[in-house]
């Protein structure tokens, strides 16, 4: 997926930021918007320039329409249909009939991790290979180590935790230094990262 373009749609700025960072870490060229209407405008603009999005990841519940409605409008408007993934924190059963009507089967339940995103992308296009840019060989000597990650920014904490876990580390987290100090007093860690 290195260099493929992706449009990320979510009205929650925190969720949007996390998903954008995950997509960038996988090598996508990312454009992000906060509503279905903005997404439609971006698709139209790309078409006008003779470009297209290779993939669209959209939240199910947007203020101006749901993900299935957005997918249907984009599929009808675009000259070639991008691959489409729906994200949600809600019950998938309620969405199933709407998704089936437009042929969507790929849904990721939030919170989204890099591992979940890679698995979904792999299932979406079994012929394409997703290259994980993290070289696990660099972590051979520390696999299984118990690490405390102290990070007050929720987005940074989630991304760092995912990367450390991918490296084979056992990660505990603390939202601030005070909590981190208390955890170090009560538990043994091989490393503390701030």
């Amino acid at each position: 997926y290195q260099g493929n373009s992706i449009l990320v749609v979510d009205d929650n700025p925190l969720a949007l930021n996390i998903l954008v960072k995950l997509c960038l870490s996988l090598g996508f060229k990312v454009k992000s918007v906060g509503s279905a209407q903005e997404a439609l405008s971006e698709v139209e603009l790309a078409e006008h320039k003779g470009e297209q999005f290779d993939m669209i990841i959209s939240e199910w519940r947007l203020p101006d329409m749901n993900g299935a409605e957005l997918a249907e409008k984009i599929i009808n408007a675009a000259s070639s249909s991008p691959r489409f993934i729906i994200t949600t924190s809600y019950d998938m059963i309620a969405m199933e009939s709407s998704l089936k009507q437009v042929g969507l089967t790929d849904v990721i339940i939030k919170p989204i991790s890099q591992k979940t995103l890679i698995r979904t992308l792999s299932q979406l296009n079994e012929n394409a290979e997703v290259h994980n840019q993290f070289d696990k060989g660099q972590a051979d000597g520390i696999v299984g180590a118990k690490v405390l990650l102290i990070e007050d920014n929720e987005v940074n904490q989630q991304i760092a935790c995912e990367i450390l876990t991918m490296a084979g580390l056992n990660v505990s987290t603390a939202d601030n230094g005070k909590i981190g100090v208390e955890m170090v007093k009560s538990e043994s860690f091989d490393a503390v990262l701030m």
Side-chain angles (χ1 to χ4, degrees):
Y1 291 100
Q2 191 75 17
N4 284 0
S5 66
I6 188 165
L7 177 62
V8 180
V9 188
D10 201 313
D11 61 321
N12 178 318
L14 178 61
L16 185 64
N17 191 17
I18 290 170
L19 197 47
V20 165
K21 286 185 177 185
L22 288 173
C23 291
L24 287 170
S25 76
L26 294 173
F28 282 101
K29 289 187 272 182
V30 182
K31 179 72 180 173
S32 62
V33 295
S35 72
Q37 213 47 58
E38 289 175 293
L40 291 169
S41 296
E42 287 297 329
V43 169
E44 187 178 304
L45 182 62
E47 287 279 322
H48 182 70
K49 293 178 179 177
E51 300 170 356
Q52 66 179 28
F53 289 101
D54 299 300
M55 185 172 301
I56 297 173
I57 300 179
S58 175
E59 162 61 31
W60 168 251
R61 285 196 180 179
L62 296 166
D64 42 356
M65 67 182 77
N66 71 39
E69 294 167 332
L70 175 61
E72 186 172 31
K73 287 183 183 237
I74 288 174
I75 289 166
N76 290 335
S79 58
S80 66
S81 297
R83 292 166 290 196
F84 218 101
I85 297 173
I86 297 292
T87 63
T88 186
S89 331
Y90 303 98
D91 184 7
M92 203 174 119
I93 294 169
M95 307 181 317
E96 260 183 60
S97 65
S98 295
L99 293 174
K100 282 182 183 176
Q101 286 176 347
V102 290
L104 297 178
T105 57
D106 298 291
V107 177
I108 301 177
I109 305 297
K110 292 178 179 178
I112 300 170
S113 68
Q114 188 179 44
K115 191 179 206 176
T116 305
L117 183 57
I118 289 171
R119 184 175 38 244
T120 304
L121 293 172
S122 296
Q123 290 169 354
L124 186 63
N125 188 1
E126 292 180 10
N127 298 327
E129 207 175 307
V130 177
H131 297 285
N132 185 346
Q133 296 179 336
F134 179 76
D135 180 5
K136 289 185 180 178
Q138 295 175 348
D140 281 346
I142 59 171
V143 170
K146 189 173 178 184
V147 174
L148 174 60
L149 171 65
I150 302 172
E151 175 58 61
D152 62 350
N153 181 292
E154 188 177 344
V155 174
N156 292 343
Q157 186 182 88
Q158 183 175 354
I159 291 169
C161 192
E162 185 67 31
I163 291 168
L164 294 168
T165 302
M166 286 173 48
L169 302 175
N170 296 316
V171 183
S172 296
T173 59
D175 294 335
N176 61 49
K178 184 177 181 182
I179 295 170
V181 168
E182 293 303 315
M183 290 177 73
V184 169
K185 286 179 181 177
S186 64
E187 296 178 53
S188 175
F189 293 97
D190 297 307
V192 176
L193 305 173
M194 296 180 76

